[in-house]
Amino acid sequence: MHLRTAWNHIRRSPYQACAAILTMALTFFVAAVFFLAAIGIQTILADFEKQPQITAFFSDIKSEEDIRLLDEKLKGTGTVEKTVYISKEDALRIYQEQNKDDPLLLEMVTADILPASLEISATDPKHLEGLAAILEQEPGVEDVIYQKDVVDRLIAWTQVARTIGLVLVLVLATVSLLVLLTVISMKIALKREEIEILRLLGATNWYIRWPFLLEGGIYGVIAATLAWGASFMAVWYSLPFIKSFLTGIVFTGLSPLLILTLLGGLVAGGFLLGVIGSFFALVRYL
Amino acid sequence: MIEFKNVGKKYSGGSFGLEKVTFSVVPGEFVYLIGKSGAGKTTILKLLIGEVKPSSGKIIFKGHEIQRFSRGNIARLRRKIRMVFQDFKTLFDRTVLENVMLSLYILGRRGKEAEAEAKKALKLVGLEDKYNYFPVQISAGELQRVAIARAIAGGPEVLLADEPTGNLDPETGGEIITLLEEINRDGTTVIVTTHNAQLVDKARKRVIAIEEGKIVRDQKEGAYHAS
């Protein structure tokens, strides 16, 4: 009953409804994009954490025997959990797997130009510095990649992105609330006569309020659904670019559970924001 | 059923609406409130539906003091005491049927039930062929009937009609009064304010005459002018 009245309110003033829905949709779109970005960064972080914490790349002067000796030396410190030796041929196989869709890249690379490497996992992150120092002093070691630095930097970026996202969403949510408050207030003003008649016929305040509250809720639900669709479209179109940018990191893809969770969260948030916006207008004008 | 005990109403600015008004109405009664414009007739009706509060005295409906009612209780009171307004107060973007259904929705009726009751009320006022007309498509007399149908839909205990013949020609006005009498015969208490001496004289019902906010005459089978 109240839902039908709310729907009639929306139908009779489509432009105001569009203004409210689009402003709210923008808020939810930004929130959804930042949420998905956070999930993405979390995946990347997990991937990094699964990888060995130090990778040493060797120049061609280092023979397999030299590397085996170095491996034993490292294990001798008692701080190494495990090591994995990646020969030039292994490196080529990994490269070929990563670039199997790009024949041009495959043609240009042979095992000779790829370095052999040793992936070392420490028993405890505090031993990483000592292990890195041993590797850096070793002749024939061309490069030492210290994964902990990368992870720390990623965490710092995540924090910054999270703060920016939160501030942006808060500002947009406030704007949405104000637009909704204005739209509902205008509708209350336009329906003064109807409200007066309803009161004279014995309608309680809540009987009059419910359709306005639901109207705000409907705006929120429509806006959230639109934003949900738009954010997945955006991710869908940008996924190939992201994948090529982050070669080597395994994306499990967007699970149906994640998609539905986001939809549920956005719709619930949208409904709540809509109802709160309408409630403020009702408190102020009714 | 309804009791006014020394009711006074002073409007802001100091002008008096009513002064020490005392009368009572029993269930099933038909009462005419007569008097010049500004005498205080409409104020009495507004006090009865809690639209204005008295400055002094008590207004009692079925043992309860109306002036003490909360907003929620005022709403519930207005479902029992329904009013037909001088300016009809119909919604111009709704059909005749939808206007009547409005008061039934407030009573909690839904869908087909509300529609059936609204059609019954409209049939009673003779508008069974105008369900889907909009207010701009019907005459003032028919609009008055819509207002009456909306007020009686759902079966109120008391029906108040504020100058129901004021905007109508004598013939249509007569038909409206006949309709109100029929509603009264079915058991609804009816209070009508009017200037129409001819209709009051013909009806021979109870007459309460008001002048400058005071009751000057309360006659059981009265006429418009004091005999």
Side-chain angles (χ1 to χ4, degrees):
Chain A
M1 170 66 214
H2 293 308
L3 201 63
R4 197 193 303 159
T5 312
W7 181 247
N8 283 337
H9 285 186
I10 296 170
R11 220 166 34 86
R12 284 176 183 151
S13 51
Y15 297 119
Q16 292 162 3
C18 279
I21 289 169
L22 289 177
T23 319
M24 289 173 93
L26 181 67
T27 308
F28 296 128
F29 176 72
V30 172
V33 165
F34 272 93
F35 175 75
L36 289 173
I39 297 274
I41 292 174
Q42 219 60 60
T43 312
I44 297 168
L45 273 174
D47 201 75
F48 268 108
E49 276 164 359
K50 261 188 276 163
Q51 287 176 18
Q53 287 149 326
I54 297 179
T55 305
F57 291 95
F58 304 104
S59 67
D60 290 348
I61 59 158
K62 204 84 171 162
S63 68
E64 266 189 48
E65 182 55 23
D66 294 338
I67 295 169
R68 198 185 57 76
L69 288 171
L70 175 66
D71 186 24
E72 274 173 17
K73 185 177 169 188
L74 289 169
K75 281 177 177 162
T77 61
T79 61
V80 172
E81 193 183 296
K82 67 164 186 173
T83 58
V84 179
Y85 172 64
I86 313 258
S87 69
K88 281 169 164 292
E89 287 70 27
D90 293 338
L92 181 65
R93 264 197 301 283
I94 293 167
Y95 181 83
Q96 281 170 338
E97 180 57 31
Q98 282 175 356
N99 298 291
K100 60 184 173 201
D101 300 329
D102 202 334
L104 197 68
L105 287 178
L106 294 178
E107 265 176 38
M108 288 159 62
V109 176
T110 59
D112 289 342
I113 64 164
L114 293 170
S117 58
L118 191 66
E119 296 176 348
I120 304 129
S121 296
T123 50
D124 195 284
K126 69 180 179 203
H127 303 310
L128 285 172
E129 259 176 79
L131 290 169
I134 296 170
L135 287 165
E136 273 157 9
Q137 282 162 16
E138 187 75 17
V141 173
E142 222 164 40
D143 202 3
V144 177
I145 293 181
Y146 206 167
Q147 300 287 12
K148 193 177 174 293
D149 284 350
V150 180
V151 172
D152 285 349
R153 216 170 304 144
L154 261 178
I155 288 171
W157 288 350
T158 313
Q159 292 292 358
V160 171
R162 200 173 289 165
T163 311
I164 292 172
L166 201 67
V167 170
L168 210 58
V169 166
L170 278 178
V171 170
L172 285 170
T174 310
V175 173
S176 295
L177 269 180
L178 290 174
V179 169
L180 197 66
L181 204 145
T182 312
V183 167
I184 300 289
S185 306
M186 276 165 71
K187 294 207 168 187
I188 293 170
L190 282 171
K191 290 188 176 293
R192 277 258 169 263
E193 198 194 351
E194 185 178 336
I195 290 167
E196 188 209 338
I197 292 172
L198 287 172
R199 279 200 173 131
L200 290 170
L201 289 173
T204 55
N205 263 346
W206 276 107
Y207 182 92
I208 295 164
R209 281 175 187 160
W210 268 117
F212 288 107
L213 283 178
L214 288 174
E215 187 179 344
I218 291 172
Y219 288 153
V221 169
I222 295 174
T225 312
L226 283 177
W228 173 76
S231 61
F232 274 103
M233 290 256 277
V235 170
W236 186 265
Y237 278 107
S238 55
L239 212 54
F241 168 74
I242 295 168
K243 272 184 176 167
S244 68
F245 186 68
L246 297 165
T247 310
I249 291 165
V250 185
F251 271 105
T252 48
L254 300 163
S255 72
L257 183 70
L258 173 70
I259 294 171
L260 289 176
T261 307
L262 187 67
L263 177 65
L266 283 175
V267 165
F271 187 77
L272 205 66
L273 189 73
V275 167
I276 291 172
S278 295
F279 184 74
F280 284 147
L282 291 170
V283 167
R284 178 82 179 80
Y285 297 105
L286 210 71
Chain B
M1 185 185 215
I2 295 168
E3 265 184 279
F4 271 57
K5 286 184 178 173
N6 287 317
V7 174
K9 175 66 190 170
K10 199 176 169 184
Y11 285 106
S12 57
S15 65
F16 276 96
L18 291 177
E19 252 185 279
K20 293 195 172 173
V21 166
T22 300
F23 69 92
S24 61
V25 177
V26 296
E29 229 181 333
F30 193 114
V31 181
Y32 278 112
L33 288 175
I34 62 164
K36 289 180 188 166
S37 294
K41 306 184 296 288
T42 304
T43 301
I44 289 179
L45 301 190
K46 284 183 173 175
L47 285 164
L48 263 172
I49 59 165
E51 204 186 340
V52 291
K53 282 198 183 289
S55 311
S56 57
K58 286 178 186 171
I59 303 161
I60 298 163
F61 175 68
K62 294 174 97 175
H64 303 284
E65 288 184 32
I66 292 176
Q67 75 274 11
R68 292 191 178 185
F69 277 10
S70 63
R71 283 171 82 161
N73 280 335
I74 290 285
R76 277 178 275 279
L77 173 80
R78 288 173 183 176
R79 295 175 207 168
K80 290 177 181 153
I81 303 180
R82 281 269 163 88
M83 187 160 161
V84 178
F85 300 90
Q86 205 173 351
D87 57 354
F88 314 135
K89 293 204 189 295
T90 45
L91 289 171
F92 281 74
D93 61 343
R94 312 282 167 96
T95 63
V96 162
L97 186 66
E98 285 169 340
N99 263 288
V100 178
M101 282 167 79
L102 213 59
S103 64
L104 290 161
Y105 286 145
I106 291 168
L107 292 173
R109 313 285 205 279
R110 296 283 172 265
K112 294 276 173 215
E113 187 193 2
E115 196 179 313
E117 272 194 67
K119 283 181 174 172
K120 194 175 141 199
L122 281 166
K123 199 173 170 188
L124 196 75
V125 300
L127 289 178
E128 62 266 44
D129 54 344
K130 301 273 164 85
Y131 294 153
N132 296 317
Y133 282 55
F134 282 90
V136 286
Q137 296 172 301
I138 58 176
S139 68
E142 287 169 330
L143 216 49
Q144 185 64 279
R145 286 169 189 269
V146 173
I148 293 172
R150 191 180 62 188
I152 60 167
E157 293 175 37
V158 182
L159 181 68
L160 311 176
D162 192 13
E163 305 275 5
T165 61
N167 301 320
L168 309 175
D169 61 80
E171 198 187 327
T172 315
E175 286 169 13
I176 295 293
I177 291 297
T178 306
L179 177 63
L180 291 173
E181 286 176 351
E182 277 172 26
I183 293 163
N184 175 243
R185 268 197 293 277
D186 289 342
T188 310
T189 307
V190 178
I191 301 175
V192 180
T193 69
T194 187
H195 289 126
N196 196 322
Q198 208 187 337
L199 291 174
V200 175
D201 290 345
K202 199 178 149 197
R204 308 304 295 180
K205 302 277 186 190
R206 181 179 173 192
V207 172
I208 297 175
I210 301 161
E211 271 176 32
E212 293 177 348
K214 292 175 195 154
I215 292 181
V216 291
R217 180 161 56 98
D218 187 347
Q219 224 175 342
K220 200 152 187 189
E221 285 182 3
Y224 195 86
H225 298 285
S227 48

